[in-house]
Amino acid sequence: MNDPVRGYLLRRSAKKASKKQNWARAALIYEALRRTGAARPSDVVRHAHATETAGRKDAAEQLHRTNICLFPLESNVHRQNALFLLRQQKEPEAILAFARALVLAPANEVLKADLERLGVGKDRIFAVAVAAFHAAPPPQPARPGILAKFRARRAAKTAKALRQSGDWNSALAAQMKVVTYNPHNAFAQIRLGHVLKALNRPQEAETAYWKGVALAPRDAVGYLQLGHGLKLKHGLNGALPAYLMAQKLEPSLIEAGGAANESDLSEQDRARLAESLVSANLKAILVFNKDEIAPGSSAQASRRISAKQRPTPMIINVRAAAIAGDIARAVGANL
């Protein structure tokens, strides 16, 4: 029996076990599904959930870490990791995971609401997200097959020639083929960002640059290009965290240093933010623009939801309600 067929049968069995709330059995079946190599992002998320519900929280935590390495570009994998961290009362780490999820799916209103409820405003998301990718474990996605590699190389040559000729629409189609055949190539995602930027599609370009950073979180060039992408839509201060990270990772990147120095933030604030990004100090990232924070809240940098301080009504469907409920339980609120 080939792996796709076996994967389908195992997936069906795992879902049946979950419906019967036989979580230990479901976790074992999902583990077997992983070994076939046919597991999808939704499968690994359900595996972690079944393991947690079966009472094995340490194993579930390890699974979430593995999942974000296997599927570094899947927003829902990061979101489920964030919800797990909230249930474990690890709010600062959860904020970082939510930020990763949001920049990979910028149109997701539920994720925006999640971060707002946890006290992270739009002006801080970029700094938190840059730190999140820098602090993330190295991605280890499955490698493409030989045929996919061949097709990706061929499409890359075509895309390069089209970029050089200035035929950006045709270059976009060719570059999309590259990331289709080899989606986990960081520089292919960055080149896709270049093409989208040339076509005056800044939001899509920004997302492509974020994907490049997600796949190469220790590479300075990715942060530099991300900074250029963020600058188009969000201005220099919005791009500053990416420029500072690029400069920290590779001090010889004069372009990044020059861009960072143009910011209207003081030198002291830039230094403070740069140090916060490198150390992933969430409190400092959240307050680098000198916003006030309650005394003694260093352990929990973000604002908690209380029964008297309920979020603005934004729940428009069952999915959003479920997520809001998870967050509320984690922070002790009664919605």
Side-chain angles (χ1 to χ4, degrees), residues 75 101-112 203 207 233:
S75 175
L102 180 59
V103 297
L104 292 171
N108 191 316
E109 295 298 326
V110 173
L111 284 166
K112 291 178 185 176
Q203 183 63 65
T207 301
K233 188 174 181 183

Side-chain angles (χ1 to χ4, degrees), residues 27-45:
L28 287 173
I29 298 172
Y30 278 122
E31 181 64 38
L33 175 56
R34 278 179 182 265
R35 290 196 292 269
T36 67
R40 303 168 181 168
S42 57
D43 297 325
V44 299
V45 163

